[in-house]
């Protein structure tokens, strides 16, 4: 289905099942397709799985102006989605750029979110996440509109992608103009102290230091861009978090490498 959010932009949303809502937020350069193997087990176990395509990705509208894409706009669009669907009691599952977006929504609308599931992401600003991430940003800058989204995803996996998955990740971006969101996201990461997103992300990080609601941290053991040390940092920072689950044989896109194990970890947490 599609909803209208944020100045008339159309957001595509996968919404399946009935029961307590589980809101799944993707990042760069993926879409709701990332959750295709996680959604069925959630639905089969009595949960409502909701996976939007962020504006600029998947089947959602794709503003061609890179300057349109801001941290504030992405946060506002998800907050509008939550309001439009009337969600509360949310289990919020965040990955990659879904982390900074979703975690800010959580701390700013704490009454609507009951649980957090944090996957291979980061929050806070002022320094780069890793040398590998800096190389990723440099590659996106160099390639510009010639960037291949499927190759970006595949580079963050251990097992690679099938031909079908590669085609699915490339399909939303048939023209150079359609890739504006893909090019924008790396520039929105506050890797330098004076980046405008450093202060708002640091406020979210500080708020999480007093987040006592149940929190699960799951990470790919072979994530080179955001190493598993960050999983332990999240678990130590958030009072409601237990020991992180680190999945062997999974890279940054653990939904591709180990979807069954990821779904099992989430379901055990929900139970």
């Amino acid at each position: 289905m599609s909803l209208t959010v944020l100045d008339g932009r159309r957001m595509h949303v996968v919404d399946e099942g009935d029961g307590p809502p589980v809101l799944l937020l993707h990042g760069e350069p993926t879409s709701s397709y990332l959750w295709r193997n996680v959604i069925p087990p959630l639905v089969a176990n009595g949960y409502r799985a909701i996976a939007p395509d962020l504006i600029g990705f998947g089947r959602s509208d794709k503003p061609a102006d890179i300057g349109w894409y801001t941290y504030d706009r992405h946060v506002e669009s998800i907050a509008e989605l939550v309001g439009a669907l009337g969600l509360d009691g949310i289990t919020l599952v965040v990955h990659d750029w879904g982390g900074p977006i979703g975690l800010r929504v959580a701390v700013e609308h704490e009454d609507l979110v009951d649980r957090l599931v944090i996957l291979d992401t980061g929050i806070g600003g002022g320094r780069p996440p890793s040398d590998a991430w800096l190389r990723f940003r440099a590659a996106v800058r160099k390639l510009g509109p010639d960037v291949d989204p499927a190759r970006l995803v595949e580079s963050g996996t251990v097992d690679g992608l099938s031909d079908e998955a590669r085609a699915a990740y490339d399909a939303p971006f048939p023209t150079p103009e359609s890739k504006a969101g893909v090019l924008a996201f790396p520039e929105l990461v506050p890797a330098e102290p004076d980046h405008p997103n450093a202060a708002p992300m640091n406020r979210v990080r500080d708020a999480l230091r007093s987040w006592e609601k149940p929190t699960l941290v799951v990470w790919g053991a072979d994530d080179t861009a955001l190493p598993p040390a960050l999983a332990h940092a999240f678990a130590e920072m958030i009072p409601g978090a237990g020991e992180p689950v680190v999945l062997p044989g999974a890279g940054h896109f653990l939904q591709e490498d180990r979807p069954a194990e990821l779904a099992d970890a989430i379901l055990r947490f929900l139970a």
Side-chain angles (χ1 to χ4, degrees), residues 6 21 65 101 146 156 160 213 226 228 230 245-246 268:
L6 205 64
D65 176 13
I101 295 167
D146 293 327
K213 296 182 181 182
L226 299 176
L230 292 173
V245 176
V246 179
R268 287 196 303 271

Side-chain angles (χ1 to χ4, degrees), residues 10-31:
R10 185 182 59 86
M11 175 179 280
H12 176 260
V13 184
V14 174
D15 188 349
E16 297 184 5
D18 297 301
V22 181
L23 179 58
L24 305 143
L25 298 185
H26 72 87
E28 160 90 335
T30 57
S31 65

